[in-house]
Amino acid sequence: MAEGLPPQYDPGTVERKWYAFWEEHQFFHADPASGKPPYSIVIPPPNITGILHLGHVLNNTIQDVLIRFKRMQGYETLWMPGTDHAGIATHVVVERMLAERGIDREEIGRERFVEEVWRWREQYGGTIIRQLKELGCSCDWKRERFTMDEGLSRSVLTVFIALFEKKMIYRGNRIIHWCPRCNTALSNEESVPRDEQGSLWRIRYPLADGTGGISIATTRPETMLGDVAVAVHPEDERHAHLVGKRVSLPLTDRSVPIIADAELVDQAFGTGVVKVTPAHDFNDFILGNKHDLPQIVIMDEDGTMNEAAGPAYRGLDRFECRRRVVKDLEDLGLLEGIEGHVHAVRHCQRCDSVLEPRLSRQWFLKTRPLARRLLRALEEDRIPGITPEHWEKTYRHWLENIEDWCLSRQLWWGHRIPVWYCASCGSAHAGIEAPGQCGRCGHGVLHQDEDVLDTWFSSALWPFSTMGWPERTAELRTFYPTSTLVTGHDILFFWVVRMMMMGYEFMDDRPFDDVYLTSLVRDIKGRKLSKSLGNSPDPLEVMDTYGADALRYAMMLIAPHGQDLLYSNEQVEVGRNFANKMWNAARLVLMHQKPPESGLPVSENLWDRWILSRLDRTVEQATRSLEQYAFHETALLLYDFFWHDFCDWYLEAIKQRLYDETDAASADHARRTALLVLEQTLRLFHPFMPFITEEIWQQLRPCLDDRDAEPAGIVVAPWPESRPARVRADAEEDIRYVQELIGAIRGVRADFRVHPTQEMAVHCRVADPRLIEVLSGQARAVQSLARCTLAFVDGDEARPAGCASGVLRDMEFYIPLSGLIDLEIETVRLSRERTRVEQELEKVRKRLSNGQFVQKAPADVVEKEKDKQNNYEDMIGRLNRNLEMICAG
Ligand SMILES: [Zn+2]
Ligand SMILES: [Zn+2]
């Protein structure tokens, strides 16, 4: 039977074959009407520009493990897949591609550009989806969505209009983060602060009445060209008397007032005087509004200075302008000093350019009312549970300090803002379609807003828009709220919190029950993976070399809860070796199978009872730890069970039974138990290693008792149930004893270098008659596992000379060595070895008694030396005992 498993496991062929099989049978397709309990996950939609990286591998393997686990547990599982249109990212990629063909975006215009993006998407946008399939992801591909497809676009516009009509969305002149390279506004979260070494320039502004001057300090001197006031603290003794006077603004022909503000001026910072530039600074914007000051925009959208900066600076790049302003001030004798200054500079999340705070007219969403709702849910404990838990604090802090969300982006690729302006009266009208005429004045010409929505606006609706909202679909009824969201902690705010806001607002319920935040993947030295460091392996190449199962399983093995993953290809080798181990074990088990026959009585063999008991505990623990999102622990638990209990012990212990023709019943029990354990273990492994488990399972299917009743694939086979009746503590205890004895015998063989093929005679002195019975029952197993015979001796029987001996709990044993080894040579060897170790020990002791070394060497080096010392001391103890043993008698 089962000649089907070739000697070598070839992941490539097997993976392609079974993925096609699963898709063909629609095992991944969810049926909202099945009546089974629902379990659903929405995929964090990868960007259409995305290419599979190890972060995706981690994140999607976890989702697939959960979905496959729940599918086997009998849930109706929906893993909703799709991609994100990724506004700026895609815009930049297509712009660059067109530039390579000599085409300028501005020249071809909006409509053609957007056509080009769609064409690009058709050609390349599916790459990441194909790669997810190679990884084995069991998404419901028939339901694949795209944030710009027709249905989702309708959801986006519906939400926008609803919020617009509730006056939650407004258009305002506000200061926002602006990327001069991407030429667009960004949200707070898209502007990344980074501490940088800059300078603090101290500049003197002369008083307009010629009676002196006042010093200000700034990190961005070029913005002084847009100053509209100078502010001091009203209680600052140095400056309070100047309030009400004016200063002549250097390098311009303007004078500006000196104002007082107790709230927004910090006396202690710099000179205690702040320049006020409302159009180019967040604080100054607030200050300006409060004191009703004008706003002067001195910079164009691309970061060059405009007319308002004055003729000397117009057309200069912002940084060039900074140099010129500093030089001109120096020439005028108004530069009082420069100090080094470390401060946070904000960078574009997409292109890393230094951002400019900029006054501009944008669309905003009032987020405070939405955040309040989430905070209330937090109090009522109705928010999703976050794993790891420590994130909850961050989440709360963010909600309490949230600012309005800048929704508009000056791009062409994305959901165009559904607002039309009347060419005559200027009024704004929101609607899915262009209005035929102005609702206020009846004019027939209206123009749509030029901007598009922030990409995260559509992703915020993902859990319900993908299920057909605003229609009340069967999918929404069955699968919303979704069960678990698995995503990186870096997008907790960008995405997770916004989904929650929109979920409560439009579905009146949370979008998911649980959030599992994944860790970062780093290299083995703990460094971030990056192309420039060359430490960022391509997962597709890794899968080609080792197989998708090996990569998936390795990722789960190295993913301890809440800690960064330290990845290396060697870890994937562990995964591959494990797959090979599984393959070889399956070959051995299948080789011995015969056509199934029913009615085999329950085996009373100790090893059979033991492995079934171990299996049952493993099922119980694996189920519990998967339910607690303990992926690493589950992967490790299964590894230990399969490799050690099943392969190292059980399969080795039953070998002689399988070949023994004199005891057919025992052979039958052995092969049937091995098959049962293998079959159940494959199910436990299936979520982690879907391909190899399917391949082996299909091969062993014909050997199963009720093979006709079995499902078409392990992918839909029921998850093993733990049967407490199979747990046999006595059998586990007895086998543990046997294992310890075998371990001790193997230790003697290694210590005295007895050749592996030489049989040893082990004499046991045991008082407990039950133990004698257990061990006698295991004589054959011990014989084959440790290559020795067991004999039981009386308490007063004399021990011959030249024996190795040992004590195991309440048993003594000895093994005569004469005849097996040359006792004289062995005595010399052991003595020499003892001398060598003693010398090593002496060196270590010297090092550790050297106060200088202990104080100055790094702690881990000292620790290592101490470990060595302990080790050597142990070795000497063992060598002494062994020498005593063979010299005695
Ligand atoms: Zn940028
Ligand atoms: Zn009008």
Side-chain angles (χ1 to χ4, degrees), residues 179 181-182 348 351:
C179 177
R181 210 226 53 93
C182 298
C348 175
C351 76

Side-chain angles (χ1 to χ4, degrees), residues 515-570:
V515 179
Y516 181 86
L517 296 174
T518 54
S519 329
L520 266 170
V521 184
R522 294 175 181 274
D523 74 3
I524 203 78
K525 294 181 188 149
R527 297 175 304 178
K528 259 188 151 173
L529 299 183
S530 80
K531 277 208 185 99
S532 55
L533 280 174
N535 64 349
S536 170
D538 174 1
L540 292 166
E541 277 174 29
V542 175
M543 285 195 271
D544 262 358
T545 315
Y546 302 101
D549 283 334
L551 176 58
R552 292 168 59 115
Y553 190 48
M555 290 303 260
M556 295 299 95
L557 273 175
I558 60 175
H561 210 60
Q563 291 164 31
D564 289 343
L565 270 78
L566 304 184
Y567 174 92
S568 74
N569 281 350
E570 282 76 52

Side-chain angles (χ1 to χ4, degrees), residues 440-585:
R440 195 202 278 172
C441 74
H443 193 74
V445 182
L446 293 102
H447 299 291
Q448 188 173 3
D449 196 289
E450 292 291 326
D451 292 350
V452 298
L453 287 166
D454 180 4
T455 301
W456 295 99
F457 190 84
S458 51
S459 7
L461 319 180
W462 189 249
F464 55 89
S465 64
T466 50
M467 296 190 198
W469 189 91
E471 307 306 325
R472 295 198 48 80
T473 61
E475 282 84 352
L476 279 172
R477 275 195 301 275
T478 306
F479 296 111
Y480 191 97
T482 63
S483 311
T484 309
L485 178 81
V486 181
T487 191
H489 59 69
D490 51 334
I491 53 174
L492 178 60
F493 306 134
F494 276 114
W495 193 43
V496 181
V497 169
R498 285 168 181 168
M499 280 192 284
M500 295 217 253
M501 288 182 180
M502 295 300 194
Y504 277 110
E505 179 70 17
F506 289 95
M507 293 297 296
D508 204 27
D509 203 349
R510 60 193 188 184
F512 17 73
D513 299 334
D514 282 334
V515 179
Y516 181 86
L517 296 174
T518 54
S519 329
L520 266 170
V521 184
R522 294 175 181 274
D523 74 3
I524 203 78
K525 294 181 188 149
R527 297 175 304 178
K528 259 188 151 173
L529 299 183
S530 80
K531 277 208 185 99
S532 55
L533 280 174
N535 64 349
S536 170
D538 174 1
L540 292 166
E541 277 174 29
V542 175
M543 285 195 271
D544 262 358
T545 315
Y546 302 101
D549 283 334
L551 176 58
R552 292 168 59 115
Y553 190 48
M555 290 303 260
M556 295 299 95
L557 273 175
I558 60 175
H561 210 60
Q563 291 164 31
D564 289 343
L565 270 78
L566 304 184
Y567 174 92
S568 74
N569 281 350
E570 282 76 52
Q571 318 265 20
V572 188
E573 268 174 41
V574 172
R576 181 185 57 185
N577 294 345
F578 188 81
N580 288 337
K581 184 85 177 173
M582 187 182 267
W583 189 258
N584 292 333

